[in-house]
Amino acid sequence: MVKQNQPELSLLIPCYNEAENLERLFSSLQLVLKSLELDYEIVCINDGSKDNTLKFLIDYHYLDNRIKVINLSRNFGKEIAMSAGLDYTTGKAVIPIDADLQDPPELIIDLITKWREGYDMVYAVRKSRQGESWLKKKTADYFYSFIGKISTIPIPANTGDYRLLDEKVVKALRQLPEKNRFMKGLFSWVGYRQTAIYFERLPRYGGKSSFNYWKLWNFALDGITSFSSIPLKVWSYFGLFISVISLFYGLFLMLKTLIFGIDLPGYASTIVAILFLGGIQLITLGVIGEYIARIYEEVKGRPLYLIRETYGFDDR
Ligand code: UDP
Ligand code: MG
């Protein structure tokens, strides 16, 4: 792909039912971008929104052709929407940013400053999260510390998708073929020279978050299964542990029987042992199932996303 007028910066905005935020979003983005005085494009991905998001995006595109729109064929989820966007951005640096103004646009200036110092990826770490429930913050903390411990590569805590990616990183990300796209992990996986900046995460400007706890739980499972095989492996150690204990317990019972004869009570301990081990076996099967289901998703080899139409990519 030869880029004659390669913009310096591409913003990448996944949008799912964000109609009420777009006006505020574009006006604050344009303010910041104006002050930066660089050539830019804004790539918006409409991820199967059910409200007027697409219509508004198209209107904005016709007002300003630096705003480009990709309309996916249905809702694919944020991770895939971002991957789709990354396939289309042309900038020397790309910044994915949420449409709900939770990622303050002013931070783009700091991201660019660090990038110009020579970093390939600058990620924005949340010092605090405003307007989110205690439970959401707590579960997020536990998730980040858990995945931090078991992942094969370090994934920075309290870091979302708001970050700057150099062109090199974007090219690397495009090469990753997996269908299960836990982007926070993939961003770390590619490596390169990375650094952090810190910010206060704001509450949503308008609308509701589309991530309920069930979605977040599955998101967490996606992250864990794509970046660690420890959940698959612990069971052999656990099994070994139980077997060793059973061996000694067996020897003890044998000696006891030889010395003191047979006594019958033991119903409670038998039922507890059966139920406990049955439960453990079902859990291990479930864990294996989680991995197999993901292997199945991968081998089906379906395309990651489908595009209904695009606006502003006529040169492609
Ligand atoms: N999003 C998306 N597809 C989805 C869900 C969300 O493209 O299926 C976008 C959404 O429009 C927003 C960003 O991803 O720009 C973050 O979503 P949200 O604010 O709901 O998540 P939260 O900030 O609560 O983690
Ligand atoms: Mg949000």
Side-chain angles (χ1 to χ4, degrees):
M1 192 179 9
V2 186
K3 294 162 226 159
Q4 270 161 345
N5 323 318
Q6 181 182 22
E8 188 90 344
L9 176 67
S10 300
L11 293 183
L12 169 59
I13 316 183
C15 304
Y16 177 61
N17 297 344
E18 300 286 4
E20 35 184 311
N21 295 321
L22 291 180
E23 189 183 342
R24 173 71 187 266
L25 175 72
F26 285 126
S27 62
S28 37
L29 282 179
Q30 265 148 356
L31 215 68
V32 173
L33 291 167
K34 214 169 176 178
S35 74
L36 274 166
E37 291 181 339
L38 45 69
D39 193 20
Y40 67 88
E41 64 173 1
I42 302 183
V43 176
C44 305
I45 298 94
N46 176 45
D47 186 16
S49 300
K50 296 186 182 76
D51 63 1
N52 278 328
T53 302
L54 178 66
K55 182 182 169 296
F56 290 163
L57 287 176
I58 296 171
D59 290 347
Y60 280 107
H61 162 69
Y62 286 121
L63 286 175
D64 178 351
N65 62 10
R66 287 174 298 188
I67 298 179
K68 303 175 180 178
V69 184
I70 298 171
N71 185 26
L72 298 184
S73 64
R74 62 170 169 87
N75 177 258
F76 282 89
K78 183 184 181 190
E79 310 295 303
I80 292 184
M82 279 202 300
S83 307
L86 283 176
D87 288 343
Y88 277 76
T89 55
T90 52
K92 290 185 185 133
V94 177
I95 301 182
I97 180 168
D98 284 1
D100 56 7
L101 291 141
Q102 284 199 284
D103 302 331
E106 307 75 56
L107 217 67
I108 292 176
I109 302 172
D110 303 341
L111 292 171
I112 299 262
T113 313
K114 282 279 174 199
W115 174 53
R116 291 197 170 137
E117 283 171 21
Y119 290 98
D120 302 316
M121 191 185 309
V122 190
Y123 52 88
V125 181
R126 304 161 183 153
K127 276 195 292 193
S128 70
R129 296 171 155 223
Q130 297 168 25
E132 289 188 43
S133 69
W134 177 86
L135 190 63
K136 183 158 179 184
K137 286 187 215 168
K138 264 281 165 261
T139 44
D141 280 351
Y142 284 130
F143 169 66
Y144 283 118
S145 87
F146 183 67
I147 199 162
K149 285 200 189 89
I150 70 166
S151 161
T152 40
I153 43 143
I155 297 176
N158 297 320
T159 307
D161 301 313
Y162 192 27
R163 56 182 81 211
L164 180 144
L165 313 167
D166 184 85
E167 199 177 14
K168 290 197 270 294
V169 176
V170 175
K171 280 197 186 120
L173 287 168
R174 283 181 194 150
Q175 285 173 29
L176 304 180
E178 52 247 80
K179 305 281 180 280
N180 184 353
R181 302 194 77 84
F182 181 70
M183 293 308 285
K184 293 181 225 318
L186 299 181
F187 289 143
S188 302
W189 184 88
V190 294
Y192 295 91
R193 259 192 97 198
Q194 306 199 358
T195 188
I197 60 172
Y198 296 85
F199 78 110
E200 316 274 348
R201 182 142 158 116
L202 305 171
R204 228 173 198 278
Y205 178 70
K208 286 205 306 277
S209 167
S210 49
F211 286 87
N212 54 34
Y213 282 103
W214 178 243
K215 260 185 155 181
L216 285 172
W217 165 247
N218 282 292
F219 180 64
L221 287 183
D222 275 342
I224 292 165
T225 48
S226 2
F227 286 90
S228 174
S229 45
I230 291 179
L232 276 178
K233 293 177 181 162
V234 284
W235 305 105
S236 15
Y237 299 96
F238 189 73
L240 194 69
F241 174 73
I242 299 264
S243 312
V244 170
I245 292 192
S246 322
L247 184 73
F248 284 111
Y249 188 55
L251 285 174
F252 163 77
L253 286 182
M254 226 163 78
L255 289 175
K256 198 173 145 217
T257 312
L258 286 176
I259 299 167
F260 299 107
I262 298 175
D263 70 336
L264 218 41
Y267 171 75
S269 55
T270 312
I271 205 83
V272 165
I274 291 177
L275 290 179
F276 175 71
L277 287 177
I280 295 286
Q281 282 166 5
L282 287 178
I283 294 172
T284 40
L285 274 179
V287 171
I288 297 172
E290 290 291 338
Y291 281 85
I292 294 185
R294 285 169 176 81
I295 299 172
Y296 183 50
E297 286 306 315
E298 297 293 334
V299 298
K300 276 194 277 191
R302 290 182 185 156
L304 199 54
Y305 56 84
L306 292 174
I307 290 178
R308 185 148 184 271
E309 72 256 311
T310 63
Y311 300 84
F313 296 94
D314 310 332
D315 46 332
R316 297 276 304 258

